[in-house]
Amino acid sequence: MQQILDNIAAQMALETDRGKVADYIPQLAHIDPNQFGIAVATPDGQMYTAGNASTLFSIQSISKVFTLTIGLGKLGDGLWTHVGREPSGDPFNSIVMLEHETGRPRNPFINAGAIAVVDAIMMGHEPKEILGEILQFVHFITDDESIRFDHKVAASEMEHKDRNASLAYFMKSFGRLKHDVDKVLGTYFHQCSIAMNCQQLASAGLYLVSNGVDKHSGVRVINEHRARRINSLMMMCGHYDGSGEFAYRVGLPGKSGVGGGILTIAPGKGSIAVWSPGLDHIGNSKLGLKALEMFVQETGWSVFAQ
Ligand code: DON
């Protein structure tokens, strides 16, 4: 495994076409695209890393996996009255389908869906309380209390909130959001601003590798059926309108973020986190996808093969 990762990192270092760093969040615009990290955590407690695997980055939309888990834990199947579970085939910040579907977003991973999940888990509580809960959850699944929000990134998104605010007000106009829009957005932006490195992120994914059980502590994070369904959603919707391509090239559930990270789950085998800040035209890490494609070719890990 170590050799496979070293080889991938060496290959990625040679790549010249590295994509474009997200600049619609000004705090992310200055990140050096010449970075690449990969980490693999396995349920027997091993951790393999290569490249910039201990450099912190903004997990952005990958956080939507964690809030979905919290949402399913709190509301159970009731969560599906707030958000759907169909791939959108549209960009992550698209508004078009919301009108046809009366303000109920297609899935929890597009921005509108993640905003609806935040609203659903707030249940009358203040952003501070919900953010405490989200961070506590991340600390628990990583067994690492050093993980923090990046308040500068959250503030930068709040300053440039126009698109997400439009999505939120549009949903609110259909009576879909219960809380104050700025409070929901503030919570959502902080959730997205969580800074993690590849090792921490790979470790965070282990509960989805092991049928919902946190292997560090043996504690169940979520029931087996829900863990399986979160993986299904990651496969179908985790890369927005690039989800088909990801399933075709990688064949594992994955969730990307505009910070350039991708969390990928190989059920029963391991959790893989890759990070490279340059994005493709859809907003997914360009080298991240390439590296994962190499990784599955080398390891044979796939949900479609034994
Ligand atoms: O709301 C946004 O636009 C960002 N906080 C998250 C978007 C994102 O990560 C899309 N992923 N590829």
Side-chain angles (χ1 to χ4, degrees):
M1 179 61 78
Q2 189 58 50
Q3 213 164 7
I4 292 173
L5 299 195
D6 287 340
N7 189 21
I8 292 173
Q11 289 282 321
M12 293 304 128
L14 300 175
E15 291 286 334
T16 49
D17 185 6
R18 308 182 75 89
K20 209 174 149 285
V21 173
D23 54 8
Y24 77 100
I25 303 173
Q27 273 293 323
L28 298 182
H30 310 295
I31 293 171
D32 177 8
N34 291 309
Q35 302 181 85
F36 171 82
I38 184 164
V40 177
T42 56
D44 60 0
Q46 301 295 313
M47 174 74 75
Y48 306 89
T49 66
N52 308 111
S54 47
T55 306
L56 293 176
F57 60 90
S58 195
I59 68 166
Q60 291 296 321
S61 287
I62 302 169
S63 64
K64 296 168 183 174
V65 175
F66 308 139
T67 44
L68 171 63
T69 306
I70 293 170
L72 284 171
K74 277 187 158 185
L75 287 93
D77 286 339
L79 186 71
W80 304 119
T81 59
H82 300 262
V83 65
R85 41 183 195 245
E86 289 293 341
S88 70
D90 277 327
F92 64 85
N93 56 4
S94 173
I95 201 166
V96 283
M97 237 178 296
L98 269 183
E99 182 161 23
H100 293 296
E101 295 174 354
T102 61
R104 179 172 171 261
R106 277 241 148 172
N107 68 63
F109 294 150
I110 52 175
N111 287 5
I115 292 167
V117 169
V118 168
D119 183 73
I121 63 179
M122 282 179 78
M123 295 172 150
H125 293 280
E126 290 299 312
K128 241 188 183 164
E129 296 167 87
I130 299 306
L131 288 170
E133 201 174 323
I134 294 170
L135 203 55
Q136 201 176 6
F137 178 78
V138 172
H139 289 169
F140 174 65
I141 57 173
T142 52
D143 199 20
D144 186 338
E145 297 203 349
S146 71
I147 297 168
R148 297 271 175 277
F149 298 112
D150 183 331
H151 296 285
K152 278 190 182 155
V153 172
S156 185
E157 275 216 81
M158 197 60 161
E159 259 173 61
H160 296 82
K161 66 179 178 182
D162 302 352
R163 178 67 73 100
N164 283 316
S166 306
L167 295 171
Y169 278 113
F170 201 62
M171 287 189 281
K172 187 141 189 161
S173 76
F174 284 103
R176 297 281 181 185
L177 296 192
K178 302 280 173 276
H179 302 86
D180 174 76
V181 163
D182 269 345
K183 285 189 177 178
V184 178
L185 288 176
T187 310
Y188 167 71
F189 293 143
H190 275 86
Q191 149 200 335
C192 290
S193 82
I194 294 174
M196 287 170 85
N197 62 36
C198 288
Q199 294 190 51
Q200 291 165 330
L201 193 57
S203 183
L206 277 176
Y207 73 98
L208 294 171
V209 173
S210 307
N211 299 317
V213 173
D214 173 49
K215 282 276 174 170
H216 305 295
S217 58
V219 172
R220 179 165 287 290
V221 177
I222 193 160
N223 80 37
E224 187 178 340
H225 306 290
R226 293 205 175 114
R228 200 187 306 161
R229 285 167 171 167
I230 292 169
N231 280 332
S232 301
L233 282 157
M234 288 171 76
M235 174 73 92
M236 300 303 293
C237 318
H239 286 74
Y240 317 104
D241 44 342
S243 298
E245 185 71 9
F246 189 84
Y248 181 82
R249 287 170 62 181
V250 178
L252 292 170
K255 181 74 211 80
S256 66
V258 285
I262 304 177
L263 172 62
T264 305
I265 306 298
K269 296 198 167 70
S271 163
I272 311 124
V274 291
W275 169 62
S276 182
L279 308 178
D280 62 19
H281 67 286
I282 293 171
N284 300 319
S285 174
K286 189 155 190 169
L287 293 195
L289 175 55
K290 214 167 190 172
L292 286 167
E293 195 174 18
M294 279 180 73
F295 179 84
V296 296
Q297 268 163 16
E298 291 296 323
T299 56
W301 289 7
S302 168
V303 295
F304 300 111
Q306 291 283 309

